[in-house]
């Protein structure tokens, strides 16, 4: 046993410390193609254990990589060579669901989908729905500001964080915010940790805002012969007050691979498909359904249909969730982009992505939360071939640059992580990035927290 | 074929979404990604494809701590055949030392030979005394099923179908009552049954050990015994035999084997007995209105559409039992064939959840179509708890 493992075994139950390469390979990556072997994995069961491990790592200058379910799409949980992975999935208790205050307090490792089910069983509603919700954790969601299809109406994780507890690298524990829905005290430390991607400290506990579950929900699919008309229909829908709770777009490549997994009876030869959900009071839902159908027809829809029953609606939602992994049936691997633009720029962005695909000779499927301008181009590649990876990453860089040109942002919901760290200055300039660096130093003077992520400069992921 | 080279493409296609983690019974207990499906897949890739990790005993031990329940493969949207990859990895690693010698002996000399119950009992007790076998391995029935079963059972009334009965090792050695029930129920519903002589194991226990030769031997016997029969279907009462014979058997023979076509055709004809009965339609009723029944769905259900739905519909139609669903009827019981003998700790933790769910239903009978599940659950439910039976037992009027 190395000194590192012996030391860790003194801090937490030795059965929750792993150092064998046979165990570590399970921790080399998240849902991206970057891989790096850590030196050890530790699974703490309490904030105290997190603090003990951080204090130790801070003294020795050992890099620490907080990890939820490892489903990130930016490489945020990819280890640094010699680093220590902190597997937080055992901090998995829902501490309280407060019906009267409409809040819930959970540990960071609670699985998002599980939490939603528990909340909904009580007639309450936690809207953020990253499509990985069957596995991803609330801590990971907060650390990446995860969103999802419902973001178009309900916003993303960041809009639900009322307060949190976090452990700093020196082992001290801070707590900011709580059940009060208003707060104007001091710097908003909860906001700073939200989206920090493990670079400032470890979020151990979160207090979340809840809503009341809408009584009724309907889902529709609209198939358009052309992408532009679908995009225009989207703008028109929102302008006419339809307030959809989901407005997803899928292109032909995506629909083809999806239907291999779950046939939805969609015509394979059209260019764009919208999945539209409306929710609220039954009468309003009926009204919105009619409005959606009407607007789609005005914009030349080929076919628009409402899910017959709950089972069909569930099938559509399941299919949407399976969109990326289902691509495995057609593509070797996929880099999922997350560029986000103002809604009106969606058609321009789509055209730009197609140009980029052609220029780099890569296949890119275009899907995304079109209702809020958050596209998820899926760049198809084969991680076995360095040339293929290089072309994909280059296409990714150009898409990011194009999103910024159109007044958008590098990332709508996946975060910067490792993959987009080199582009950060494009969005924030030297002054912006330099302030972020100083902020990081104030929290983490020895730079042990997830080095290389967001701000770059680390060595992680340079080899496969 | 079950060689890692044939699965490299599948391994590389995995998009690493980690969705499969949510389905794995072992991960649910261990909460560590080394024991989640994606983690195992990446270990297989590192050790057997990229050779970044030596394919040693430690690798084998980790891959061995897997129920081969196929839950991961069932939820994978990318269609990655994870359990096939794990089987191929076991085959690949089986040449390495320490790979289950006792089990290998049992598979080759007992299951593939269909020795009599008494011989099996004698050798097991010897093995126990020598410390080669755990003390609580299943008790073998006093006389094996096929030794005393009739070779044929004629239908009552007009013949609706003719089937051959594949008698799995569970019915042969542990639960002959299931076989007796089946031979009563099928003829009752107008189905003629033959019980072919010379049949042996389906090969799954051998395959789980990575013993591809012994698996092939089992499949060859299956072909030799069943291929030439003029029947509409081959029925089995065991979901794992069906899983093996329908889905896995074709990967056991080399791709250029001339018998492959014949095997595929035969595989298509394999049916789980309750599903087969349900398709044909119920002819007779066995009212059991006072019995409260719950259903544990076996993990090996993905091989045929109706495996999980048939017992529910069939028992409702034919017996009118009081049906009660347990929480998570589809979650694993921890048995995993003989997994529970090799990994007691985790198997028992999985079973504990299941037992709680069963007891909460206050059912008199738990039905399930897998003899390993039946054995393992009954062991924990002991005498006071509900009885565990195959659904055909209820159709045969064998109540609690
Ligand atoms: C198929 C698929 C679909 C997806 N769909 C969506 C989607 O619709 N919307 C969306 O936003 N994302 C989506 N994602 C991306 C991903 O699921 C989210 O980013 C999610 O929030 C990650 O959660 P996790 O628990 O897996 O975190 P991880 O991947 O383990 O970690 C993500 C980052 O957060 C940090 N982190 C994790 N926990 C903590 C903690 N407690 N304290 C501090 N830092 C922490 C890590 O260091 C890392 O930087 C999808 C991913 C996949 C594979
Ligand atoms: S669910 Fe399928 S694609 Fe996703 S990680 Fe598991 S094996 Fe890979
Ligand atoms: S086969 Fe079952 S136990 Fe094995 S990895 Fe898959 S889900 Fe887990």
């Amino acid at each position: 046993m190395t000194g590192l493992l012996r030391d860790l075994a003194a801090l937490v139950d030795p059965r929750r410390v792993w150092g064998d390469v046979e165990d570590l390979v399970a921790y080399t990556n998240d849902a991206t193609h970057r891989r790096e072997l850590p030196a050890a994995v530790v699974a703490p069961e309490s904030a105290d254990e997190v603090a003990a491990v951080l204090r130790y790592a801070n003294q020795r200058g050992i890099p620490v990589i907080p990890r939820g379910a490892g489903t990130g799409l930016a490489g945020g949980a990819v280890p640094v060579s010699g680093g220590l992975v902190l597997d937080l999935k055992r901090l998995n208790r829902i501490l309280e669901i407060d019906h009267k205050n409409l809040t819930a307090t959970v540990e960071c490792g609670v699985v998002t989908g599980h939490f939603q089910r528990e909340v909904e069983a009580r007639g309450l509603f936690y809207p953020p729905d990253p499509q990985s919700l069957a596995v991803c954790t609330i801590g990971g969601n907060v650390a990446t500001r995860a969103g999802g299809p419902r973001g178009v109406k309900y916003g993303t994780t960041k809009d639900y964080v009322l307060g949190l507890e976090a452990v700093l690298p020196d082992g001290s524990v801070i707590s900011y915010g709580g059940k009060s829905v208003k707060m104007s005290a001091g710097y908003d430390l909860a906001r700073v940790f939200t989206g920090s991607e493990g670079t400032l400290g470890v979020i151990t506990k979160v207090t979340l805002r809840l809503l009341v579950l809408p009584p009724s929900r309907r889902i529709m699919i609209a198939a358009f012969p052309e992408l532009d008309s679908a995009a225009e229909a989207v703008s028109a829908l929102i302008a006419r007050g339809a307030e959809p709770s989901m407005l997803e777009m899928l292109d032909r490549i995506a629909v083809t691979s999806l239907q291999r997994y779950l046939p939805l009876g969609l015509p394979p030869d059209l260019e764009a498909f919208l999945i539209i959900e409306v929710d609220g009071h039954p009468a309003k839902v009926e009204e919105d359904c009619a409005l959606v159908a009407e607007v789609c027809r005005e914009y030349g829809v080929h076919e628009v249909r409402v899910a017959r029953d709950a089972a069909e609606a569930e099938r559509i939602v399941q299919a949407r969730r399976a969109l990326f992994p289902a691509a495995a049936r057609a593509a070797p691997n996929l880099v999922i982009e997350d560029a986000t633009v103002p809604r009106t720029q969606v058609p321009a962005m789509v055209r730009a992505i197609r140009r980029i695909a052609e220029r780099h000779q890569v296949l890119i499927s275009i899907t995304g939360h079109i209702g809020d301008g958050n596209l998820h181009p899926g760049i198809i590649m084969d991680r076995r071939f360095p040339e293929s990876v290089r072309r994909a990453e280059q296409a990714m860089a150009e898409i990011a640059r194009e999103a910024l040109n159109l007044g958008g942002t590098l990332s709508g919901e996946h975060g910067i992580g490792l993959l987009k760290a080199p582009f950060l200055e494009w969005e924030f300039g030297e002054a912006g990035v330099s302030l972020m660096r100083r902020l990081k130093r104030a929290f983490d003077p020895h730079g042990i927290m997830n080095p290389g992520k967001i701000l770059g400069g680390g060595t992680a992921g340079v080899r496969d | 074929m079950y060689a890692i080279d044939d699965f490299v493409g599948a391994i590389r296609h995995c998009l690493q979404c980690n969705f499969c983690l949510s389905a794995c019974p072992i991960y649910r207990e261990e909460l560590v990604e080394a024991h989640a499906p994606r983690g195992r897949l990446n270990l297989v890739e590192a050790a057997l494809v990229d050779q970044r990790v030596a394919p040693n005993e430690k690798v084998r031990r980790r891959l061995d701590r897997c129920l081969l329940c196929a839950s991961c493969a069932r939820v994978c949207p990318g269609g990655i055949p994870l359990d096939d990859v794990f089987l191929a990895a076991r085959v690949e690693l089986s040449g390495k030392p320490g790979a289950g010698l006792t089990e290998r002996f049992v598979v080759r000399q007992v299951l593939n030979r269909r020795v009599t119950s008494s011989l099996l009992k004698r050798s097991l007790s010897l093995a126990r005394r020598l410390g080669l076998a755990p003390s609580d391995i299943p008790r073998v029935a006093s006389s094996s099923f096929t030794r005393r079963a009739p070779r044929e059972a004629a239908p009552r009334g007009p013949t609706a179908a003719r089937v051959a009965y594949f008698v799995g090792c569970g019915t042969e050695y542990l639960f002959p009552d299931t076989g007796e029930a089946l031979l009563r129920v099928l003829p009752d519903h107008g189905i003629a049954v033959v019980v072919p002589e010379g049949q042996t194991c389906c090969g799954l226990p051998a395959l789980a050990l990575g013993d591809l030769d012994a698996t092939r031997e089992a499949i060859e016997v299956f072909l030799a015994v069943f291929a030439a029969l003029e029947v509409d279907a081959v029925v089995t009462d065991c979901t794992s035999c069906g899983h093996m014979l329908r889905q896995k058997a074709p990967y056991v023979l080399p791709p250029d084997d001339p018998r492959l076509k014949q095997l595929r055709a035969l595989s298509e004809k394999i049916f789980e007995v309750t599903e087969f009965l349900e398709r044909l339609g119920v002819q007779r009723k066995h009212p059991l209105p006072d019995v409260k029944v719950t259903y544990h769905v076996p993990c090996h259900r993905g091989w045929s559409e109706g495996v999980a739905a048939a017992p529910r519909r069939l028992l409702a139609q034919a017996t009118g039992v009081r049906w009660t669903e347990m929480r998570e009827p589809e979650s694993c019981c921890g048995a995993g064939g003989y997994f529970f003998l090799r990994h007691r700790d985790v198997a028992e933790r999985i079973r504990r959840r299941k037992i709680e769910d069963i007891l909460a239903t206050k059912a008199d009978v738990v039905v399930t179509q897998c003899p390993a599940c039946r054995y393992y659950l009954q062991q924990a439910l002991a005498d006071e708890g509900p009885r565990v039976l195959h659904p055909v037992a209820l159709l045969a009027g064998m109540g609690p």
Side-chain angles (χ1 to χ4, degrees):
Chain A
M1 213 192 246
T2 67
L4 172 67
L5 297 175
R6 209 175 31 240
D7 293 347
L8 291 170
L11 298 173
V12 305
D13 184 337
R15 284 172 303 182
R16 289 187 273 112
V17 177
W18 293 270
D20 285 348
V21 62
E22 294 80 9
D23 292 315
L24 301 180
V25 286
Y27 286 90
T28 52
N29 58 293
D30 56 8
T32 63
H33 57 284
R34 298 288 185 97
R35 295 186 176 198
E36 186 65 66
L37 201 65
V41 175
V42 187
E45 283 186 344
S46 65
D48 285 346
E49 287 189 345
V50 172
V53 174
L54 287 193
R55 207 175 296 122
Y56 165 79
N58 200 39
Q59 281 161 3
R60 309 288 167 104
I62 301 167
V64 174
I65 302 93
R67 182 179 180 99
T71 68
L73 288 170
V78 175
V80 182
S81 177
L84 182 57
V85 171
L86 216 50
D87 184 337
L88 297 160
K89 289 191 280 295
R90 279 171 189 259
L91 284 118
N92 60 1
R93 287 176 304 163
I94 297 177
L95 299 170
E96 186 190 33
I97 296 176
D98 181 341
H99 211 291
K100 293 211 174 97
N101 283 309
L102 289 179
T103 64
T105 302
V106 303
E107 291 186 320
C108 61
V110 166
V111 174
T112 310
H114 170 69
F115 174 60
Q116 283 185 343
R117 273 196 308 281
E118 291 294 315
V119 163
E120 287 177 23
R122 291 163 174 77
L124 301 174
F125 187 32
Y126 176 69
D129 58 342
Q131 300 292 279
S132 50
L133 55 80
V135 269
C136 68
T137 64
I138 294 287
N141 294 168
V142 173
T144 58
R145 295 187 195 95
R150 289 187 193 135
V152 63
K153 179 170 179 178
Y154 293 104
T156 60
T157 306
K158 70 179 186 325
D159 302 306
Y160 293 83
V161 178
L162 290 174
L164 50 74
E165 175 191 272
V167 183
L168 298 178
D170 65 5
S172 54
V173 179
I174 65 113
S175 173
Y176 184 94
K179 290 186 185 181
S180 317
V181 284
K182 307 175 63 169
M183 183 158 176
S184 180
Y187 296 124
D188 190 338
L189 296 179
R191 278 267 161 166
V192 174
F193 270 98
T194 305
S196 61
E197 300 186 56
T199 60
L200 303 180
V202 176
I203 302 161
T204 44
K205 209 189 276 178
V206 189
T207 300
L208 297 160
R209 188 163 73 91
L210 302 176
L211 305 178
V212 173
L213 192 64
S216 173
R217 209 176 255 172
R218 277 300 198 57
I219 238 180
M220 281 169 277
I221 293 195
F224 287 83
E226 277 158 39
L227 216 141
D228 278 1
S229 50
E232 280 165 28
V234 166
S235 299
L237 271 175
I238 289 169
R240 303 229 321 237
E243 260 203 299
S245 49
M246 181 190 294
L247 230 178
E248 296 291 295
M249 188 201 52
L250 284 70
D251 72 354
R252 187 190 331 188
I253 303 175
V255 162
T256 307
S257 81
L258 193 56
Q259 292 208 106
R260 282 195 206 173
Y261 163 64
L262 240 193
L264 294 170
L266 297 176
D269 48 350
L270 300 183
E271 220 184 288
F273 301 82
L274 299 180
I275 301 177
I276 307 157
E277 186 195 67
V278 289
D279 67 359
H281 281 282
K284 169 87 164 101
V285 166
E286 287 307 316
E287 225 172 82
D288 281 349
C289 272
L291 178 62
V292 168
E294 185 188 309
V295 172
C296 286
R297 278 190 209 104
E298 277 169 34
Y299 286 86
V301 74
H302 170 82
E303 181 193 342
V304 53
R305 68 166 200 248
V306 184
R308 262 169 283 126
D309 47 27
E312 197 187 0
E314 183 57 29
R315 215 172 130 81
I316 295 169
V317 169
Q318 283 301 339
R320 169 60 190 88
R321 281 192 197 140
L323 185 61
F324 300 148
R329 288 169 193 260
N333 309 113
L334 210 53
V335 181
I336 315 261
E337 239 292 2
D338 181 37
T340 302
V341 294
R343 194 155 47 222
T344 48
Q345 297 286 20
V346 166
M349 188 68 213
V350 168
R351 280 192 293 273
I353 293 169
R354 292 202 167 147
R355 271 200 313 275
I356 292 166
E358 206 158 307
R359 186 156 59 240
H360 292 280
Q361 291 294 297
V362 287
L363 204 56
I364 304 184
S365 78
I366 304 176
T367 64
H369 316 307
I370 191 173
D372 48 28
N374 185 186
L375 295 180
H376 288 321
I379 309 167
I380 291 167
M381 59 134 189
D382 192 330
R383 69 181 157 92
R384 281 173 303 169
F385 304 115
E387 172 60 17
S388 171
V389 175
R390 197 188 57 77
R391 283 214 306 263
E393 291 193 353
Q394 209 149 36
M396 176 172 195
E398 282 179 31
I399 291 171
R401 169 98 63 195
E402 193 61 38
L404 293 175
N405 287 342
L406 293 171
T409 171
L410 290 171
S411 170
E413 53 181 27
H414 296 166
I416 297 298
L418 202 53
L419 293 186
K420 288 186 174 176
F423 318 149
L424 199 66
E425 262 191 34
W426 300 349
E427 183 158 358
F428 300 110
E430 226 184 286
V433 172
S434 144
L435 176 60
M436 287 186 192
R437 271 189 217 291
R438 274 175 283 149
L439 181 78
K440 157 126 175 133
R441 221 168 291 139
F443 280 74
D444 176 25
H446 301 300
I448 62 159
M449 293 308 305
N450 215 359
K453 314 300 158 56
I454 305 183
L455 296 164
T459 55
V462 288
R463 40 183 193 115
D464 185 71
Chain B
M1 219 185 44
Y2 284 112
I4 210 68
D5 286 349
D6 286 13
F7 290 95
V8 173
I11 294 171
R12 305 285 199 203
H13 263 72
C14 159
L15 279 172
Q16 301 286 317
C17 68
N18 226 4
F19 280 18
C20 43
L21 170 143
S22 68
C24 177
I26 303 288
Y27 170 77
R28 190 180 183 178
E29 302 302 327
E30 311 276 52
L31 295 176
V32 48
E33 287 187 55
H35 288 297
R38 180 180 81 175
R40 295 182 200 287
L41 192 74
N42 291 352
L43 178 59
V44 172
E45 184 183 36
L48 299 176
V49 182
D50 294 342
Q51 273 123 28
R52 277 180 287 134
V53 170
N56 57 20
E57 176 64 14
K58 284 181 175 176
V59 172
R60 208 183 55 71
R61 274 216 310 271
R62 276 158 188 78
L63 295 177
D64 204 47
R65 205 170 168 81
C66 156
L67 293 148
L68 296 171
C69 66
S71 302
C72 44
R74 229 178 10 251
V75 301
C76 170
I80 311 295
L82 287 127
D83 62 319
D84 285 328
V85 173
F86 301 147
L87 285 168
R90 288 190 187 194
V91 169
E92 212 72 29
L93 291 165
S94 71
K96 309 280 181 287
L101 290 179
T102 319
E103 289 92 337
R104 197 171 276 240
F105 174 82
V106 171
V107 160
R108 289 185 172 220
Q109 302 306 327
V110 177
L111 305 185
N112 275 5
R113 299 276 168 276
R114 269 284 144 101
V115 300
T116 59
S117 269
S118 47
L119 180 58
L120 174 56
K121 281 175 108 166
R122 258 182 286 135
S123 40
L124 285 180
S125 90
L126 178 67
R128 256 192 304 256
R129 267 181 284 135
L130 293 174
L132 291 172
S135 55
D136 60 343
I137 45 174
R139 287 203 28 194
V140 174
S142 52
S143 128
S144 43
F145 176 73
T146 50
R147 300 277 148 182
R148 54 199 166 94
R151 294 274 76 90
E152 275 183 49
R156 289 223 239 164
T159 307
R162 250 181 84 75
V163 302
Y165 178 21
F166 180 86
V167 182
C169 298
T171 295
E172 177 74 354
Y173 295 120
L174 297 177
F175 300 117
D177 61 315
T178 300
E180 284 153 21
L182 184 142
L183 287 185
R184 230 185 295 162
V185 171
L186 290 187
D188 264 1
H189 292 83
I191 300 163
V193 189
V194 290
V195 187
E197 258 174 290
Q199 54 175 308
T200 62
C201 182
C202 70
L204 188 56
L207 188 57
L209 281 177
D211 189 343
L212 193 59
D213 290 337
T215 315
R216 197 176 292 134
E217 184 180 73
I219 294 305
E220 280 164 355
V221 171
F222 171 62
L223 262 177
V225 172
F226 286 88
L229 300 175
E230 302 240 335
V231 290
D232 302 311
V234 175
V235 296
T236 172
D237 54 43
C238 169
T239 35
S240 291
C241 295
H243 168 78
M244 176 70 204
L245 295 175
R246 173 86 67 89
Q247 288 195 325
K248 310 295 176 200
Y251 290 108
V252 171
L253 298 182
D256 55 355
D257 194 300
R259 294 166 298 182
L260 210 49
K261 207 171 139 222
Q262 198 185 24
L263 178 60
R264 289 225 171 81
L266 190 56
S267 289
E268 292 301 309
K269 282 213 277 189
I270 270 276
F271 285 93
E272 190 278 319
V273 59
T274 51
E275 185 185 7
F276 187 74
L277 257 179
E278 205 223 348
R279 286 189 181 207
L280 245 61
V282 178
Q283 309 283 324
R284 293 167 66 85
K285 308 216 169 193
H286 296 276
L288 290 169
D290 297 331
V291 184
K292 194 170 177 187
V293 178
T294 192
Y295 176 35
H296 164 64
V297 187
C299 291
H300 289 158
R301 58 178 176 270
W303 56 279
S304 185
E305 197 83 16
V307 165
R312 293 178 165 116
R313 289 195 293 245
L314 196 61
L315 290 180
Q317 277 171 31
T319 64
V321 290
R322 283 189 293 141
W323 194 263
T324 167
E325 291 285 344
M326 69 179 89
R327 214 176 62 93
E328 299 191 22
E330 301 194 331
S331 73
C332 181
C333 71
Y338 48 77
F339 175 90
F340 70 94
L341 289 171
R342 292 154 63 107
H343 304 275
R344 275 153 220 277
D345 54 327
V346 65
E348 273 168 31
R349 278 183 278 147
I350 297 172
R351 179 170 66 177
R352 208 166 299 145
R353 291 178 198 268
K354 195 83 209 179
I355 296 292
E356 273 171 28
D357 293 346
I358 289 174
L359 292 177
T361 65
K362 302 225 171 359
D364 308 308
V365 172
V366 184
V367 292
T368 189
Q369 301 126 297
C370 166
C373 301
R374 180 177 173 191
Y375 173 82
Y376 196 50
L377 290 175
Q378 191 71 74
Q379 193 192 46
L381 287 167
D383 296 337
E384 318 84 78
R387 278 194 72 191
V388 189
L389 293 170
H390 192 283
V392 292
L394 291 184
L395 294 173
M398 302 175 175

